[in-house]
Amino acid sequence: MRLDSLFGPAAAELVFLIQILIPPTQGVDFDPVQLPNLNLNQLGRVALTGDFDSISLYTYKQQTEHAFSSNGSQSLITQLPNGDFTASATADAYIKTMCPFVMRNGQFAGVVVGGNFTSLGGVETQGVALYDPNTSKTDPLSGLLGQVSVVYCDQDTNTVYVGGDFKGADSTNAVAWVGMSGWANLPFAGFNGPVESITKAPNGNIVFGGAFTGLGNTTAPQKKDQQVVNLSSAKISSGSTTEESGFNDPKNIVCKTSGQDGPGSTWLLEDKTSGFWRADLNFGFQPTKLRLWNTHQNGRGTKTFRFTALPLNGIMNMTYIDPATGKTTPCDADGARCPLSDDTSLPYQDFTFYNHVGMSAFKIDISDWYGDGAGLSGIELFQDDIYAYAVTDLNEPACANIEFGSNSTPTGPWTTAPSAQSQSQYLTADLAAQDIKSAKASVIFKPNIKQKGNYSVDVYTPGCLQDNSCDRRGIANVTGIFTEGGAPIPIKQIYQTNDFDKYDQIYYGPVDVNSDSFRATVTLTPYTQQDQRITLVAQRVRFAPTNYTGGLNGLFEFDPNQGSTLTDFSKSAFDQAGMNLQPGAIVTSLAVVGGISYVGGNFSDISGNFRNIFSITDRNATSLPNGGLNAQVATFQVFGDLLYVGGNFTNTATGNFLGLNNFAAYNTLSQSWLALGSGVRGRVNTIVPIELNVTEGRPETCITVNGHFDQLEAVGSAPAVPVKGFGVWVPSRQDWLQNLNLTTRTITGKLSSATNITGSDPLLAGTISSQGVPGAQDAVSLTSKPLQLNSLGINIQPQPVTSSKRKRAISGQNVTGAVTGLFHKNGKLNVTVIGGHFTATASNGSTINNLAFINGTGAVSGLGTGLDEDSVFLALNTQENILYAGGTISGTLENSNVNGLILYDLASGNFANQPAALGGDDVAVNAITTRPKSTQVYVAGNFDTAGSLACPSVCMFDKGQWSQPGSGLSGSVAALAWQGNDKLLAGGNISINGNATKLANYDTKNRQWTPLEGSDAAVPGPVTALTPAKEDASQFWVAGKSTNGSAFLMKYDSSKFHAIPESNRLGDQTTIHGLSMLSLDSDHNKSELVDQSMVLLVTGSLNIPNFGNASAALYDGKTFVPFILSTSGSGPGSLSQLFSEKTVDFKSSGGRMKLGFVVLIGLAIALGVTFLLVVAGILIERYRRRAEGYQPAPTTYFDKTANMGRIPPEDLFGRLGQRGNAPLL
């Protein structure tokens, strides 16, 4: 299986529903997060809207919002106890293979991971690493350069066998890691072509499969030293140079091959003085031969010199042909000084390097001379390596007069980047989306091929860390033509997100020599399906010659107990089977089932008995039924007695077995093919097992299928199922999981490999993400007892927004997916409304566009016809049973145009009488609110008129009529809040009488707009979200985007604004969509910004310092805590807003009061109890007396007024003033 075709860009589009996974067993320790103690009871029903296809609460520290990667990078993946997946270590490219390394003594050393990455878990490591799943530590297995396609851990021999397309440890494409001691060369020193698969045969031998024809390293070219190293672009310097004009420039000898002396052609040192000549190049090279022209100017000349490689500062050993004897002679071993002849009959002398060492500069130190001093009249440097560079100055020099010298043709906005930590300078282009679509940038590489033969063609990509371009790197398309009259090879996608330098093999096969009629070429362009700005890079292409023959053909059997390699390949059943295949066989897959070995790939046998798959038993290659398969096999997966097979086939070789479309199974017991459904439409690259809960919570092994296919083929009564490169086959049900009626959860991405670890959970590799709410997309409900997210019972599919609609949206506003919602309950009418830009399926099967209704029984419905499908609903409210729905809405209802706002009767399920349409440029309604204790509905947004009425930014609708509230307001209003019954607060990007402000108040009594004092100076940008922080909204929170593009969040405390402390602010990439205050069951630590009994919910696309991305966070006045994570496609998701059945009650939030009120209420209760006790005592006493015979006293009295007339009043009171005497009665 070719590595570069493992995962194409289609992987970024995968979204698939899969059964809830089993909880992990043990091994990795996961750290649970204490869930917030929210009290949502007073709010009634609560829900969240957004743009996501998977969502979950933040419950474990290992959780992240990272979705599956679409830039070519993959991760090692573990499963959390809540069923979500988390990346335990991320690579900068593909992870293709894994195996658990358990040594002979039973010690678990770790998981060996292979791929074409240059870093894993943030650790630089080329192609292979050792990963500890218990500690998440990555140990680099340094020493390889290239890509690893397969690893096989053999406990019996304490060895890990590694295969791929690489160099290392004096081997090519195959090497062994023994115990913990390091790399060891295999006796045969590797292969002359890439290795794709390794397995252990029933006899204990190790079998290698791939695209090789012989053992040993890459072959040196028959014509050696043919690539000229370009010194003309180097920085040339010298020491002790003569001051004589015409001879003092060290550049004189570059590109001078005539041997003629004279001014401008010769470089001289000072008289009788040693010195040096130095060249610093802009690329690395590995020279094989040095050619020097000695000077004879006035009897001068260089007598001895030595060559020093830089920056290694290593003195190079060389040999030369002695002119006197004609024999190859080593230079002086003492100091490696070489003699240079002064024989004028010798045009030049060649010196061959004994060792081939990489360098980027060199120095020639001259120690002795002829005549009065030393000098040179020409220099050339050669190498065996065949390169073509994107930077034209690095290719073979034009002055060398090479007929077909290596060169390149760059086209487009390329600039040259310094080599930094890379091997050479390279080209970089910053490309906008339109430049990518038109393939505006390209580089055509043209190597100097002087020898026809078999070559490995490798494209080198510089690492992105050195130029800080990792977040901008994209995908390159690479193709080439290598034989005269041959067609271009299929385009390969190369992901350029590697942290460090890497190369990708794009071709292995014959390459023709350059001629007047043919030139081999490699063309690099941007992958055209990228829809955002990228940085494209181009560096170099290498052509490495390999052997045509060597007695092998894609298969080799190795006996690890032999100290040497048998050269008689006929003694091995595997070797012999390979030699019986047509030349050029490629073996991609090896497996052993029941003592029988199976071989898969792209081949056919010489006799024509089988194609692409066969078995080896009793030392014989045996055809499978019906002659094998009719096209390439890419992968095997063993499951019990079944051999699952994936590739690019559609039938057996004889064509009489239907349903084997790219995915099939072979029953090794009955020796028969099995159709799995009808397969898939498109190529399968990997088959990876995974444990799922499919039947009543019982875990079972299911088979994931990954590749470049777009549907599961129809079978029987089951229709075809559209997918994007991912499917799950359930062996126990003999059906696709998509066809089973099961409760599902969302998983996105693809898998490339999996491995079992004894005593721990399986480790997966690939690019998958899962968040834990089954069937939830773009809208979920939220409960606090227990705290959990649940599906609303509607399947929403977000839709892309047209540029005109997006233009109308305010900065930072979400306009895809579900944007807004409300709960409406009035008598028996109970409706949930979801608005945004999406499609959904109604209960009757019809398609819903952008506004959906869910009634009390769960039935889902939508609007009637009339509105444009690209409408976006941004704001909802109700008055009685009439729904006011606003946004970027357009269409025609009852022969009248609507714009920005519609009215809908929720009781009848029909459009209501529509108000006059809003008018203006880019009309949008962003907020709708009803004035307390009235029927007035205030509509706010970006508009100028309502019908014929001038009514900019905010307009009031009541009793079928529009009215303008006040005057002087203009701009775009994003949010509204009532401050009591008579004052309205508006936030946005607005002006009052031409004066810009971010917040304004409207007084309904005097009908005037006034800017909120201090807001223009304190608030750094337009307000896009607003929520009260007190019952009357005299205190409130605002959020938006600053003029510098960063997010802001501030609180107004009735007199001034308070910004979040800089140490706690959200990251620059944050976009805040919504704000809500929520109550708590228990107080948090005291804060001046947030009441102890409450917490601020912030929704959007958030970047939390020291955490990463989140879709919702809770803020207690001091710290942001991740609350909800979501993903959308290949990236993080976002939440728009929270909506609830009731509003938060600030007076009773949390069910607690201040201490003073508690004391007063306690005193009142005590007095009340005392009063009741007294009354009860009186009643009991009266009952007792009556029971004991007590009678009430008489209640009749004598007539107190009978004698009142006997004493005149004046006599009675007139004497009161007489002293000394008592009143006389």
Side-chain angles (χ1 to χ4, degrees), residues 99-119:
C99 67
F101 187 22
V102 180
M103 291 189 284
R104 189 184 294 116
N105 60 6
Q107 177 187 352
F108 175 63
V111 176
V112 181
V113 183
N116 76 333
F117 49 82
T118 65
S119 70

mmCIF file of all heavy atoms in Angstrom, residues 99-119:
data_model
loop_
_atom_site.group_PDB
_atom_site.id
_atom_site.type_symbol
_atom_site.label_atom_id
_atom_site.label_comp_id
_atom_site.label_asym_id
_atom_site.label_seq_id
_atom_site.Cartn_x
_atom_site.Cartn_y
_atom_site.Cartn_z
ATOM 1 N N CYS A 99 3.012 -1.652 16.681
ATOM 2 C CA CYS A 99 3.022 -2.967 17.299
ATOM 3 C C CYS A 99 3.504 -2.835 18.736
ATOM 4 O O CYS A 99 4.354 -1.997 19.033
ATOM 5 C CB CYS A 99 3.881 -3.971 16.529
ATOM 6 S SG CYS A 99 5.646 -3.630 16.547
ATOM 7 N N PRO A 100 2.943 -3.641 19.665
ATOM 8 C CA PRO A 100 3.400 -3.595 21.061
ATOM 9 C C PRO A 100 4.698 -4.379 21.205
ATOM 10 O O PRO A 100 4.766 -5.559 20.845
ATOM 11 C CB PRO A 100 2.246 -4.250 21.816
ATOM 12 C CG PRO A 100 1.617 -5.172 20.823
ATOM 13 C CD PRO A 100 1.814 -4.563 19.468
ATOM 14 N N PHE A 101 5.725 -3.734 21.732
ATOM 15 C CA PHE A 101 7.038 -4.371 21.863
ATOM 16 C C PHE A 101 7.148 -5.004 23.245
ATOM 17 O O PHE A 101 7.428 -4.330 24.239
ATOM 18 C CB PHE A 101 8.133 -3.342 21.629
ATOM 19 C CG PHE A 101 9.526 -3.933 21.588
ATOM 20 C CD1 PHE A 101 9.736 -5.276 21.298
ATOM 21 C CD2 PHE A 101 10.626 -3.130 21.833
ATOM 22 C CE1 PHE A 101 11.012 -5.808 21.259
ATOM 23 C CE2 PHE A 101 11.904 -3.657 21.791
ATOM 24 C CZ PHE A 101 12.093 -4.998 21.505
ATOM 25 N N VAL A 102 6.892 -6.309 23.304
ATOM 26 C CA VAL A 102 7.052 -7.076 24.530
ATOM 27 C C VAL A 102 8.293 -7.939 24.356
ATOM 28 O O VAL A 102 8.373 -8.752 23.431
ATOM 29 C CB VAL A 102 5.822 -7.953 24.817
ATOM 30 C CG1 VAL A 102 6.014 -8.741 26.110
ATOM 31 C CG2 VAL A 102 4.568 -7.080 24.900
ATOM 32 N N MET A 103 9.252 -7.781 25.249
ATOM 33 C CA MET A 103 10.511 -8.500 25.106
ATOM 34 C C MET A 103 10.400 -9.927 25.637
ATOM 35 O O MET A 103 9.405 -10.315 26.241
ATOM 36 C CB MET A 103 11.623 -7.721 25.795
ATOM 37 C CG MET A 103 11.934 -6.413 25.049
ATOM 38 S SD MET A 103 13.390 -5.561 25.641
ATOM 39 C CE MET A 103 12.756 -4.855 27.146
ATOM 40 N N ARG A 104 11.438 -10.675 25.400
ATOM 41 C CA ARG A 104 11.439 -12.109 25.695
ATOM 42 C C ARG A 104 11.125 -12.386 27.167
ATOM 43 O O ARG A 104 10.464 -13.362 27.496
ATOM 44 C CB ARG A 104 12.788 -12.710 25.312
ATOM 45 C CG ARG A 104 12.826 -14.238 25.362
ATOM 46 C CD ARG A 104 14.217 -14.770 25.070
ATOM 47 N NE ARG A 104 14.623 -14.482 23.699
ATOM 48 C CZ ARG A 104 15.652 -13.700 23.372
ATOM 49 N NH1 ARG A 104 16.369 -13.128 24.324
ATOM 50 N NH2 ARG A 104 15.968 -13.495 22.111
ATOM 51 N N ASN A 105 11.563 -11.491 28.063
ATOM 52 C CA ASN A 105 11.318 -11.695 29.493
ATOM 53 C C ASN A 105 9.947 -11.210 29.939
ATOM 54 O O ASN A 105 9.649 -11.197 31.129
ATOM 55 C CB ASN A 105 12.402 -10.994 30.312
ATOM 56 C CG ASN A 105 12.439 -9.478 30.067
ATOM 57 O OD1 ASN A 105 11.581 -8.937 29.367
ATOM 58 N ND2 ASN A 105 13.434 -8.812 30.631
ATOM 59 N N GLY A 106 9.116 -10.810 29.008
ATOM 60 C CA GLY A 106 7.772 -10.358 29.318
ATOM 61 C C GLY A 106 7.662 -8.877 29.611
ATOM 62 O O GLY A 106 6.558 -8.362 29.819
ATOM 63 N N GLN A 107 8.769 -8.170 29.616
ATOM 64 C CA GLN A 107 8.737 -6.737 29.888
ATOM 65 C C GLN A 107 8.134 -5.990 28.707
ATOM 66 O O GLN A 107 8.517 -6.207 27.554
ATOM 67 C CB GLN A 107 10.151 -6.225 30.158
ATOM 68 C CG GLN A 107 10.218 -4.715 30.373
ATOM 69 C CD GLN A 107 11.651 -4.217 30.462
ATOM 70 O OE1 GLN A 107 12.593 -5.031 30.520
ATOM 71 N NE2 GLN A 107 11.834 -2.912 30.495
ATOM 72 N N PHE A 108 7.190 -5.095 29.023
ATOM 73 C CA PHE A 108 6.568 -4.268 27.984
ATOM 74 C C PHE A 108 7.398 -3.000 27.821
ATOM 75 O O PHE A 108 7.479 -2.175 28.733
ATOM 76 C CB PHE A 108 5.130 -3.928 28.357
ATOM 77 C CG PHE A 108 4.460 -2.975 27.406
ATOM 78 C CD1 PHE A 108 4.253 -3.311 26.076
ATOM 79 C CD2 PHE A 108 4.027 -1.723 27.835
ATOM 80 C CE1 PHE A 108 3.640 -2.431 25.201
ATOM 81 C CE2 PHE A 108 3.406 -0.847 26.970
ATOM 82 C CZ PHE A 108 3.211 -1.198 25.643
ATOM 83 N N ALA A 109 8.027 -2.859 26.659
ATOM 84 C CA ALA A 109 8.904 -1.711 26.430
ATOM 85 C C ALA A 109 8.158 -0.503 25.899
ATOM 86 O O ALA A 109 8.624 0.627 26.034
ATOM 87 C CB ALA A 109 10.009 -2.107 25.450
ATOM 88 N N GLY A 110 6.999 -0.718 25.290
ATOM 89 C CA GLY A 110 6.234 0.375 24.704
ATOM 90 C C GLY A 110 5.651 -0.040 23.370
ATOM 91 O O GLY A 110 5.782 -1.190 22.937
ATOM 92 N N VAL A 111 5.016 0.898 22.714
ATOM 93 C CA VAL A 111 4.437 0.664 21.391
ATOM 94 C C VAL A 111 5.348 1.300 20.349
ATOM 95 O O VAL A 111 5.666 2.489 20.428
ATOM 96 C CB VAL A 111 3.018 1.251 21.291
ATOM 97 C CG1 VAL A 111 2.467 1.095 19.879
ATOM 98 C CG2 VAL A 111 2.097 0.577 22.290
ATOM 99 N N VAL A 112 5.781 0.505 19.395
ATOM 100 C CA VAL A 112 6.593 1.023 18.301
ATOM 101 C C VAL A 112 5.644 1.597 17.250
ATOM 102 O O VAL A 112 4.723 0.918 16.789
ATOM 103 C CB VAL A 112 7.482 -0.071 17.686
ATOM 104 C CG1 VAL A 112 8.333 0.514 16.563
ATOM 105 C CG2 VAL A 112 8.361 -0.690 18.761
ATOM 106 N N VAL A 113 5.859 2.848 16.898
ATOM 107 C CA VAL A 113 4.979 3.584 15.993
ATOM 108 C C VAL A 113 5.778 3.980 14.757
ATOM 109 O O VAL A 113 6.888 4.515 14.874
ATOM 110 C CB VAL A 113 4.412 4.842 16.675
ATOM 111 C CG1 VAL A 113 3.434 5.561 15.750
ATOM 112 C CG2 VAL A 113 3.746 4.478 17.988
ATOM 113 N N GLY A 114 5.224 3.709 13.580
ATOM 114 C CA GLY A 114 5.908 4.058 12.342
ATOM 115 C C GLY A 114 5.026 4.851 11.405
ATOM 116 O O GLY A 114 3.799 4.737 11.424
ATOM 117 N N GLY A 115 5.642 5.663 10.569
ATOM 118 C CA GLY A 115 4.912 6.459 9.585
ATOM 119 C C GLY A 115 5.872 7.342 8.819
ATOM 120 O O GLY A 115 7.069 7.073 8.738
ATOM 121 N N ASN A 116 5.354 8.444 8.256
ATOM 122 C CA ASN A 116 6.249 9.384 7.575
ATOM 123 C C ASN A 116 6.312 10.705 8.324
ATOM 124 O O ASN A 116 6.564 11.754 7.748
ATOM 125 C CB ASN A 116 5.822 9.601 6.122
ATOM 126 C CG ASN A 116 4.606 10.506 5.995
ATOM 127 O OD1 ASN A 116 3.783 10.597 6.902
ATOM 128 N ND2 ASN A 116 4.484 11.179 4.869
ATOM 129 N N PHE A 117 6.119 10.655 9.631
ATOM 130 C CA PHE A 117 6.178 11.847 10.469
ATOM 131 C C PHE A 117 7.635 12.233 10.754
ATOM 132 O O PHE A 117 8.559 11.421 10.629
ATOM 133 C CB PHE A 117 5.420 11.632 11.783
ATOM 134 C CG PHE A 117 5.766 10.355 12.497
ATOM 135 C CD1 PHE A 117 6.893 10.253 13.298
ATOM 136 C CD2 PHE A 117 4.947 9.228 12.378
ATOM 137 C CE1 PHE A 117 7.207 9.079 13.962
ATOM 138 C CE2 PHE A 117 5.254 8.046 13.044
ATOM 139 C CZ PHE A 117 6.389 7.976 13.830
ATOM 140 N N THR A 118 7.802 13.479 11.166
ATOM 141 C CA THR A 118 9.113 13.926 11.633
ATOM 142 C C THR A 118 9.074 14.308 13.103
ATOM 143 O O THR A 118 10.106 14.638 13.682
ATOM 144 C CB THR A 118 9.616 15.128 10.816
ATOM 145 O OG1 THR A 118 8.751 16.251 11.027
ATOM 146 C CG2 THR A 118 9.663 14.796 9.335
ATOM 147 N N SER A 119 7.886 14.288 13.699
ATOM 148 C CA SER A 119 7.770 14.504 15.142
ATOM 149 C C SER A 119 6.536 13.764 15.643
ATOM 150 O O SER A 119 5.551 13.601 14.920
ATOM 151 C CB SER A 119 7.666 15.997 15.483
ATOM 152 O OG SER A 119 6.425 16.531 15.063
#
